[in-house]
mmCIF file with all atom_site columns, all heavy atoms in Angstrom:
data_model
loop_
_atom_site.group_PDB
_atom_site.id
_atom_site.type_symbol
_atom_site.label_atom_id
_atom_site.label_alt_id
_atom_site.label_comp_id
_atom_site.label_asym_id
_atom_site.label_entity_id
_atom_site.label_seq_id
_atom_site.pdbx_PDB_ins_code
_atom_site.Cartn_x
_atom_site.Cartn_y
_atom_site.Cartn_z
_atom_site.occupancy
_atom_site.B_iso_or_equiv
_atom_site.pdbx_formal_charge
_atom_site.auth_seq_id
_atom_site.auth_comp_id
_atom_site.auth_asym_id
_atom_site.auth_atom_id
_atom_site.pdbx_PDB_model_num
ATOM 1   N N   . VAL A 1 71 ? 12.563 -202.923 -35.842 1.00 95.00 ? 71 VAL A N   1
ATOM 2   C CA  . VAL A 1 71 ? 11.976 -201.908 -36.717 1.00 95.00 ? 71 VAL A CA  1
ATOM 3   C C   . VAL A 1 71 ? 12.928 -201.498 -37.837 1.00 95.00 ? 71 VAL A C   1
ATOM 4   O O   . VAL A 1 71 ? 12.484 -201.144 -38.934 1.00 95.00 ? 71 VAL A O   1
ATOM 5   C CB  . VAL A 1 71 ? 11.553 -200.671 -35.891 1.00 95.00 ? 71 VAL A CB  1
ATOM 6   C CG1 . VAL A 1 71 ? 11.041 -199.554 -36.803 1.00 95.00 ? 71 VAL A CG1 1
ATOM 7   C CG2 . VAL A 1 71 ? 10.470 -201.053 -34.887 1.00 95.00 ? 71 VAL A CG2 1
ATOM 8   N N   . ARG A 1 72 ? 14.223 -201.579 -37.602 1.00 95.00 ? 72 ARG A N   1
ATOM 9   C CA  . ARG A 1 72 ? 15.184 -201.124 -38.619 1.00 95.00 ? 72 ARG A CA  1
ATOM 10  C C   . ARG A 1 72 ? 15.163 -201.973 -39.893 1.00 95.00 ? 72 ARG A C   1
ATOM 11  O O   . ARG A 1 72 ? 15.726 -201.568 -40.911 1.00 95.00 ? 72 ARG A O   1
ATOM 12  C CB  . ARG A 1 72 ? 16.600 -201.079 -38.031 1.00 95.00 ? 72 ARG A CB  1
ATOM 13  C CG  . ARG A 1 72 ? 16.780 -199.961 -37.014 1.00 95.00 ? 72 ARG A CG  1
ATOM 14  C CD  . ARG A 1 72 ? 18.219 -199.804 -36.597 1.00 95.00 ? 72 ARG A CD  1
ATOM 15  N NE  . ARG A 1 72 ? 19.026 -199.203 -37.672 1.00 95.00 ? 72 ARG A NE  1
ATOM 16  C CZ  . ARG A 1 72 ? 20.319 -198.887 -37.528 1.00 95.00 ? 72 ARG A CZ  1
ATOM 17  N NH1 . ARG A 1 72 ? 20.933 -199.131 -36.394 1.00 95.00 ? 72 ARG A NH1 1
ATOM 18  N NH2 . ARG A 1 72 ? 20.977 -198.353 -38.538 1.00 95.00 ? 72 ARG A NH2 1
ATOM 19  N N   . VAL A 1 73 ? 14.512 -203.142 -39.847 1.00 93.00 ? 73 VAL A N   1
ATOM 20  C CA  . VAL A 1 73 ? 14.412 -203.955 -41.073 1.00 93.00 ? 73 VAL A CA  1
ATOM 21  C C   . VAL A 1 73 ? 13.153 -203.608 -41.877 1.00 93.00 ? 73 VAL A C   1
ATOM 22  O O   . VAL A 1 73 ? 13.018 -204.034 -43.023 1.00 93.00 ? 73 VAL A O   1
ATOM 23  C CB  . VAL A 1 73 ? 14.425 -205.470 -40.754 1.00 93.00 ? 73 VAL A CB  1
ATOM 24  C CG1 . VAL A 1 73 ? 15.665 -205.844 -39.968 1.00 93.00 ? 73 VAL A CG1 1
ATOM 25  C CG2 . VAL A 1 73 ? 13.169 -205.892 -40.011 1.00 93.00 ? 73 VAL A CG2 1
ATOM 26  N N   . PHE A 1 74 ? 12.233 -202.820 -41.284 1.00 94.00 ? 74 PHE A N   1
ATOM 27  C CA  . PHE A 1 74 ? 10.991 -202.481 -41.974 1.00 94.00 ? 74 PHE A CA  1
ATOM 28  C C   . PHE A 1 74 ? 11.252 -201.795 -43.310 1.00 94.00 ? 74 PHE A C   1
ATOM 29  O O   . PHE A 1 74 ? 10.522 -201.994 -44.280 1.00 94.00 ? 74 PHE A O   1
ATOM 30  C CB  . PHE A 1 74 ? 10.121 -201.559 -41.107 1.00 94.00 ? 74 PHE A CB  1
ATOM 31  C CG  . PHE A 1 74 ? 9.392  -202.242 -39.986 1.00 94.00 ? 74 PHE A CG  1
ATOM 32  C CD1 . PHE A 1 74 ? 9.801  -203.485 -39.510 1.00 94.00 ? 74 PHE A CD1 1
ATOM 33  C CD2 . PHE A 1 74 ? 8.294  -201.641 -39.394 1.00 94.00 ? 74 PHE A CD2 1
ATOM 34  C CE1 . PHE A 1 74 ? 9.131  -204.108 -38.455 1.00 94.00 ? 74 PHE A CE1 1
ATOM 35  C CE2 . PHE A 1 74 ? 7.615  -202.255 -38.354 1.00 94.00 ? 74 PHE A CE2 1
ATOM 36  C CZ  . PHE A 1 74 ? 8.038  -203.490 -37.886 1.00 94.00 ? 74 PHE A CZ  1
ATOM 37  N N   . LYS A 1 75 ? 12.279 -200.954 -43.349 1.00 95.00 ? 75 LYS A N   1
ATOM 38  C CA  . LYS A 1 75 ? 12.524 -200.158 -44.561 1.00 95.00 ? 75 LYS A CA  1
ATOM 39  C C   . LYS A 1 75 ? 12.763 -201.030 -45.790 1.00 95.00 ? 75 LYS A C   1
ATOM 40  O O   . LYS A 1 75 ? 12.441 -200.633 -46.913 1.00 95.00 ? 75 LYS A O   1
ATOM 41  C CB  . LYS A 1 75 ? 13.716 -199.226 -44.347 1.00 95.00 ? 75 LYS A CB  1
ATOM 42  C CG  . LYS A 1 75 ? 15.030 -199.898 -44.003 1.00 95.00 ? 75 LYS A CG  1
ATOM 43  C CD  . LYS A 1 75 ? 16.142 -198.860 -43.841 1.00 95.00 ? 75 LYS A CD  1
ATOM 44  C CE  . LYS A 1 75 ? 17.484 -199.489 -43.493 1.00 95.00 ? 75 LYS A CE  1
ATOM 45  N NZ  . LYS A 1 75 ? 17.584 -199.788 -42.051 1.00 95.00 ? 75 LYS A NZ  1
ATOM 46  N N   . TYR A 1 76 ? 13.313 -202.222 -45.573 1.00 92.00 ? 76 TYR A N   1
ATOM 47  C CA  . TYR A 1 76 ? 13.596 -203.101 -46.701 1.00 92.00 ? 76 TYR A CA  1
ATOM 48  C C   . TYR A 1 76 ? 12.317 -203.660 -47.329 1.00 92.00 ? 76 TYR A C   1
ATOM 49  O O   . TYR A 1 76 ? 12.271 -203.933 -48.527 1.00 92.00 ? 76 TYR A O   1
ATOM 50  C CB  . TYR A 1 76 ? 14.505 -204.252 -46.265 1.00 92.00 ? 76 TYR A CB  1
ATOM 51  C CG  . TYR A 1 76 ? 15.820 -203.782 -45.693 1.00 92.00 ? 76 TYR A CG  1
ATOM 52  C CD1 . TYR A 1 76 ? 16.140 -203.998 -44.355 1.00 92.00 ? 76 TYR A CD1 1
ATOM 53  C CD2 . TYR A 1 76 ? 16.740 -203.104 -46.486 1.00 92.00 ? 76 TYR A CD2 1
ATOM 54  C CE1 . TYR A 1 76 ? 17.348 -203.554 -43.823 1.00 92.00 ? 76 TYR A CE1 1
ATOM 55  C CE2 . TYR A 1 76 ? 17.958 -202.663 -45.967 1.00 92.00 ? 76 TYR A CE2 1
ATOM 56  C CZ  . TYR A 1 76 ? 18.252 -202.893 -44.638 1.00 92.00 ? 76 TYR A CZ  1
ATOM 57  O OH  . TYR A 1 76 ? 19.439 -202.456 -44.116 1.00 92.00 ? 76 TYR A OH  1
ATOM 58  N N   . PHE A 1 77 ? 11.272 -203.809 -46.530 1.00 90.00 ? 77 PHE A N   1
ATOM 59  C CA  . PHE A 1 77 ? 10.001 -204.320 -47.043 1.00 90.00 ? 77 PHE A CA  1
ATOM 60  C C   . PHE A 1 77 ? 9.320  -203.321 -47.980 1.00 90.00 ? 77 PHE A C   1
ATOM 61  O O   . PHE A 1 77 ? 8.571  -203.711 -48.873 1.00 90.00 ? 77 PHE A O   1
ATOM 62  C CB  . PHE A 1 77 ? 9.042  -204.643 -45.892 1.00 90.00 ? 77 PHE A CB  1
ATOM 63  C CG  . PHE A 1 77 ? 9.409  -205.876 -45.099 1.00 90.00 ? 77 PHE A CG  1
ATOM 64  C CD1 . PHE A 1 77 ? 10.243 -205.782 -44.006 1.00 90.00 ? 77 PHE A CD1 1
ATOM 65  C CD2 . PHE A 1 77 ? 8.918  -207.125 -45.460 1.00 90.00 ? 77 PHE A CD2 1
ATOM 66  C CE1 . PHE A 1 77 ? 10.584 -206.905 -43.274 1.00 90.00 ? 77 PHE A CE1 1
ATOM 67  C CE2 . PHE A 1 77 ? 9.251  -208.254 -44.737 1.00 90.00 ? 77 PHE A CE2 1
ATOM 68  C CZ  . PHE A 1 77 ? 10.088 -208.157 -43.645 1.00 90.00 ? 77 PHE A CZ  1
ATOM 69  N N   . TYR A 1 78 ? 9.571  -202.030 -47.761 1.00 91.00 ? 78 TYR A N   1
ATOM 70  C CA  . TYR A 1 78 ? 8.831  -201.004 -48.496 1.00 91.00 ? 78 TYR A CA  1
ATOM 71  C C   . TYR A 1 78 ? 9.723  -200.140 -49.388 1.00 91.00 ? 78 TYR A C   1
ATOM 72  O O   . TYR A 1 78 ? 9.288  -199.087 -49.873 1.00 91.00 ? 78 TYR A O   1
ATOM 73  C CB  . TYR A 1 78 ? 8.047  -200.134 -47.497 1.00 91.00 ? 78 TYR A CB  1
ATOM 74  C CG  . TYR A 1 78 ? 7.082  -200.975 -46.715 1.00 91.00 ? 78 TYR A CG  1
ATOM 75  C CD1 . TYR A 1 78 ? 7.408  -201.424 -45.436 1.00 91.00 ? 78 TYR A CD1 1
ATOM 76  C CD2 . TYR A 1 78 ? 5.882  -201.411 -47.271 1.00 91.00 ? 78 TYR A CD2 1
ATOM 77  C CE1 . TYR A 1 78 ? 6.557  -202.257 -44.736 1.00 91.00 ? 78 TYR A CE1 1
ATOM 78  C CE2 . TYR A 1 78 ? 5.022  -202.238 -46.585 1.00 91.00 ? 78 TYR A CE2 1
ATOM 79  C CZ  . TYR A 1 78 ? 5.365  -202.658 -45.315 1.00 91.00 ? 78 TYR A CZ  1
ATOM 80  O OH  . TYR A 1 78 ? 4.525  -203.496 -44.623 1.00 91.00 ? 78 TYR A OH  1
ATOM 81  N N   . GLY A 1 79 ? 10.933 -200.584 -49.596 1.00 91.00 ? 79 GLY A N   1
ATOM 82  C CA  . GLY A 1 79 ? 11.817 -199.873 -50.524 1.00 91.00 ? 79 GLY A CA  1
ATOM 83  C C   . GLY A 1 79 ? 12.165 -198.471 -50.079 1.00 91.00 ? 79 GLY A C   1
ATOM 84  O O   . GLY A 1 79 ? 12.307 -197.561 -50.907 1.00 91.00 ? 79 GLY A O   1
ATOM 85  N N   . LEU A 1 80 ? 12.287 -198.275 -48.767 1.00 95.00 ? 80 LEU A N   1
ATOM 86  C CA  . LEU A 1 80 ? 12.617 -196.952 -48.238 1.00 95.00 ? 80 LEU A CA  1
ATOM 87  C C   . LEU A 1 80 ? 14.118 -196.852 -47.960 1.00 95.00 ? 80 LEU A C   1
ATOM 88  O O   . LEU A 1 80 ? 14.706 -197.747 -47.366 1.00 95.00 ? 80 LEU A O   1
ATOM 89  C CB  . LEU A 1 80 ? 11.833 -196.681 -46.957 1.00 95.00 ? 80 LEU A CB  1
ATOM 90  C CG  . LEU A 1 80 ? 10.307 -196.680 -47.088 1.00 95.00 ? 80 LEU A CG  1
ATOM 91  C CD1 . LEU A 1 80 ? 9.656  -196.475 -45.734 1.00 95.00 ? 80 LEU A CD1 1
ATOM 92  C CD2 . LEU A 1 80 ? 9.848  -195.596 -48.071 1.00 95.00 ? 80 LEU A CD2 1
ATOM 93  N N   . ARG A 1 81 ? 14.715 -195.777 -48.417 1.00 95.00 ? 81 ARG A N   1
ATOM 94  C CA  . ARG A 1 81 ? 16.125 -195.509 -48.161 1.00 95.00 ? 81 ARG A CA  1
ATOM 95  C C   . ARG A 1 81 ? 16.224 -194.327 -47.200 1.00 95.00 ? 81 ARG A C   1
ATOM 96  O O   . ARG A 1 81 ? 15.517 -193.326 -47.370 1.00 95.00 ? 81 ARG A O   1
ATOM 97  C CB  . ARG A 1 81 ? 16.846 -195.195 -49.469 1.00 95.00 ? 81 ARG A CB  1
ATOM 98  C CG  . ARG A 1 81 ? 16.940 -196.391 -50.418 1.00 95.00 ? 81 ARG A CG  1
ATOM 99  C CD  . ARG A 1 81 ? 17.367 -195.975 -51.816 1.00 95.00 ? 81 ARG A CD  1
ATOM 100 N NE  . ARG A 1 81 ? 16.314 -195.246 -52.509 1.00 95.00 ? 81 ARG A NE  1
ATOM 101 C CZ  . ARG A 1 81 ? 16.452 -194.008 -52.981 1.00 95.00 ? 81 ARG A CZ  1
ATOM 102 N NH1 . ARG A 1 81 ? 17.598 -193.367 -52.832 1.00 95.00 ? 81 ARG A NH1 1
ATOM 103 N NH2 . ARG A 1 81 ? 15.449 -193.412 -53.612 1.00 95.00 ? 81 ARG A NH2 1
ATOM 104 N N   . LEU A 1 82 ? 17.087 -194.449 -46.209 1.00 96.00 ? 82 LEU A N   1
ATOM 105 C CA  . LEU A 1 82 ? 17.232 -193.384 -45.216 1.00 96.00 ? 82 LEU A CA  1
ATOM 106 C C   . LEU A 1 82 ? 18.629 -192.789 -45.284 1.00 96.00 ? 82 LEU A C   1
ATOM 107 O O   . LEU A 1 82 ? 19.617 -193.523 -45.350 1.00 96.00 ? 82 LEU A O   1
ATOM 108 C CB  . LEU A 1 82 ? 16.937 -193.907 -43.807 1.00 96.00 ? 82 LEU A CB  1
ATOM 109 C CG  . LEU A 1 82 ? 15.449 -194.178 -43.553 1.00 96.00 ? 82 LEU A CG  1
ATOM 110 C CD1 . LEU A 1 82 ? 15.095 -195.621 -43.864 1.00 96.00 ? 82 LEU A CD1 1
ATOM 111 C CD2 . LEU A 1 82 ? 15.070 -193.845 -42.117 1.00 96.00 ? 82 LEU A CD2 1
#
Side-chain angles (χ1 to χ4, degrees):
V71 175
R72 290 188 73 176
V73 304
F74 283 20
K75 59 179 180 278
Y76 301 114
F77 288 89
Y78 300 98
L80 299 177
R81 293 167 289 121
L82 287 92

